[in-house]
Amino acid sequence: MAVRLNEDKEIVARVQEGLRKKNGYCPCRLEMNEDTKCMCKEFREQITDPTFEGYCHCLLYYKSLD
């Protein structure tokens, strides 16, 4: 398993700017709580699934199976 940043540098820059503006909370979510603090709870749970491969909700991170 490997988790990496999205290869699209423009997406990474936009999401990181949103994270700065929201003090580390997912810019794609309305609520600001521990579940939406980057790396969000949803993605932390997804990466524990050995069959999951894909992006987090805001497309900042990608989990690959190799």
Side-chain angles (χ1 to χ4, degrees), residues 3 6 8 10 13-14 16-17 24-25 34 41 61 65:
V3 176
N6 189 324
D8 187 324
E10 185 177 325
R14 287 183 181 182
Q16 287 178 335
E17 178 63 24
Y25 293 94
E34 284 305 308
K41 180 181 177 184
Y61 294 108
L65 296 177

Side-chain angles (χ1 to χ4, degrees), residues 12-27 36-39 58 60-61:
V12 170
R14 287 183 181 182
V15 173
Q16 287 178 335
E17 178 63 24
L19 287 167
R20 280 189 288 279
K21 288 179 180 179
K22 289 186 74 176
N23 295 316
Y25 293 94
C26 182
T36 61
K37 188 83 166 177
C38 190
M39 175 180 294
C58 66
L60 181 61
Y61 294 108

Side-chain angles (χ1 to χ4, degrees), residues 29-61:
R29 305 285 186 176
L30 295 176
E31 58 279 339
M32 292 172 53
N33 57 46
E34 284 305 308
D35 291 348
T36 61
K37 188 83 166 177
C38 190
M39 175 180 294
C40 70
K41 180 181 177 184
E42 177 184 13
F43 192 60
R44 289 191 314 264
E45 290 174 352
Q46 286 175 320
I47 62 177
T48 63
D49 176 354
T51 64
F52 173 78
E53 181 170 12
Y55 289 99
C56 68
H57 178 78
C58 66
L59 303 177
L60 181 61
Y61 294 108

